[in-house]
Amino acid sequence: MSAPSLEQIISQATADFASCADAPSLENAKAKYLGKTGAVTELLKGMAQLSPDEKKTRGADINRAKDAIEATLKARRESLANDALNAKLASESIDVTLPGRGRGVGGIHPVIQTWQRCEEIFGSIGFDVADGPEIEADWYNFTALNNPPNHPARSMQDTFYVDMNGTDGLPLLLRTHTSPMQVRYAKMHANELTTKGKAIKVIAPGRTYRVDSDATHSPMFHQIEGLWIDENISFADLKGVYTDFLRRFFETVALQVRFRPSYFPFTEPSAEIDMKFDSGPLKGKWLEISGSGQVHPTVVKNFGLDPERFIGFAFGSGLERLTMLKHGIGDLRLFFEGDLRFLKQFA
Ligand code: PHE
């Protein structure tokens, strides 16, 4: 069989390239002509036995053929790329008249807004902010706070126990209030108070846990603890600080505050703080807002301080309760359902 002429090779290559429907098959076809064992390469190899003059003319012919093949290859490449682009443009057409999807904007949860507002108000009158563990040792949560061993709060019904033999054989539990932070913070700063006279003045907001669940109780809730210990802090300071806080938090001076005798093991005397709005939908009703009292001498001792010299007050308020009263929310469970229709009203 005689070798194909250069024209035959060119027209065959042109036909081959034209039949390639995509870039990969075109590159395969290219190898058949211009590759290491391709038709054109074979022709060049076949010139070995020609005379120098023949080589010149034959070589020039083959190179022309090679150029021609490369030109058709290039043209085919471009037209395939064009086709691909057009297909893409056609399939990806966008409808510019569609409404945009937008991106939802997040918001701060109403209870956390209360938390932040409390930090602002108490911060402005010199209170530090402290944070502490939610898994707490029995000693901080109960014993150091003067809770007798048989106090009902210790019972399995009220307290979530994590490990009955936690530290030194004493249980680890989910803190039932933020009051253990009184002990943690005061112990840490007792020395500064004794030696430098720097008052212990702190709030500790955070999560607390109790085995309790209905419209006004949630197994997880938030409290804010307040503690002020110095050489001559009295119950009058508690009244002043807390009343001022409530007026600023509820943004009205039209509210009354009363301290109703109560009992907590870690304060003596103890008081329940009630408030009453003079206007608005809750007008005229006494509402319980916080536990409070003068810190019990035994607890001051557990802070590492001399109760004959140092005295002070503490309070513990529910952040959900403050938020509910501020916004007139009737059911505490709304805070934890994650329903955007509710939450968006506070964003
Ligand atoms: N820890 C108490 C409670 O959770 C509140 C409280 C705090 C009372 C500080 C007095 C002083 O009910």
Side-chain angles (χ1 to χ4, degrees), residues 65-331:
K66 193 179 167 198
D67 289 346
I69 293 171
E70 273 171 354
T72 40
L73 175 69
K74 185 165 173 254
R76 185 63 187 142
R77 265 198 198 124
E78 277 163 11
S79 102
L80 278 179
N82 239 335
D83 291 351
L85 180 63
N86 284 332
K88 201 167 170 216
L89 286 174
S91 72
E92 284 180 7
S93 67
I94 45 168
D95 182 350
V96 293
T97 64
L98 281 175
R101 278 201 197 92
R103 197 176 283 196
V105 179
I108 308 263
H109 191 279
V111 171
I112 305 302
Q113 289 182 26
T114 297
W115 175 326
Q116 293 174 338
R117 186 71 188 121
C118 288
E119 287 190 5
E120 270 171 26
I121 297 172
F122 283 107
S124 78
I125 48 173
F127 280 79
D128 269 347
V129 181
D131 192 13
E134 290 167 27
I135 297 178
E136 188 54 282
D138 178 276
W139 191 79
Y140 284 105
N141 196 81
F142 292 126
T143 312
L145 291 167
N146 200 28
N147 273 91
N150 55 352
H151 191 276
R154 278 193 147 129
S155 83
M156 301 287 292
Q157 282 80 46
D158 290 341
T159 306
F160 287 110
Y161 284 93
V162 175
D163 182 354
M164 291 310 284
N165 304 300
T167 36
D168 305 328
L170 284 171
L172 273 180
L173 44 87
L174 296 183
R175 64 179 181 189
T176 57
H177 50 178
T178 42
S179 299
M181 279 307 292
Q182 288 184 32
V183 190
R184 287 185 175 273
Y185 188 88
K187 263 166 76 85
M188 249 166 36
H189 294 83
N191 197 38
E192 268 188 315
L193 172 58
T194 329
T195 60
K196 294 190 199 134
K198 190 174 179 289
I200 290 170
K201 204 174 170 191
V202 68
I203 55 162
R207 290 192 194 94
T208 48
Y209 303 83
R210 279 181 212 175
V211 184
D212 219 349
S213 191
D214 57 40
T216 51
H217 298 90
S218 149
M220 189 285 295
F221 58 105
H222 298 79
Q223 281 192 340
I224 179 168
E225 194 77 11
L227 177 70
W228 189 349
I229 303 282
D230 204 343
E231 259 174 306
N232 44 24
I233 295 298
S234 75
F235 214 91
D237 295 294
L238 165 63
K239 282 189 158 182
V241 163
Y242 208 87
T243 304
D244 179 55
F245 160 69
L246 288 177
R247 298 211 161 123
R248 288 174 68 186
F249 180 78
F250 289 107
E251 297 172 80
T252 173
V253 288
L255 61 79
Q256 292 170 52
V257 181
R258 80 177 175 198
F259 287 73
R260 184 163 39 84
S262 183
Y263 172 77
F264 299 100
F266 38 94
T267 45
E268 182 59 39
S270 305
E272 209 68 60
I273 307 176
D274 298 339
M275 56 174 268
K276 186 170 78 168
F277 291 107
D278 292 346
S279 60
L282 290 168
K283 177 185 164 179
K285 241 176 89 178
W286 281 109
L287 308 156
E288 199 175 299
I289 193 84
S290 183
S292 70
Q294 183 171 297
V295 181
H296 194 288
T298 303
V299 178
V300 175
K301 219 179 280 170
N302 288 334
F303 291 168
L305 292 168
D306 176 6
E308 295 292 330
R309 189 173 158 206
F310 296 106
I311 194 166
F313 66 77
F315 60 83
S317 323
L319 292 180
E320 281 80 7
R321 176 114 182 113
L322 283 166
T323 315
M324 287 168 83
L325 291 177
K326 176 148 184 170
H327 300 292
I329 297 161
D331 193 327

Side-chain angles (χ1 to χ4, degrees), residues 44-66:
L44 288 167
K45 284 183 197 159
M47 295 196 326
Q49 56 279 59
L50 299 180
S51 70
D53 271 357
E54 283 171 326
K55 265 187 191 161
K56 228 187 201 164
T57 45
R58 181 70 177 152
D61 287 347
I62 296 175
N63 274 333
R64 257 195 304 281
K66 193 179 167 198

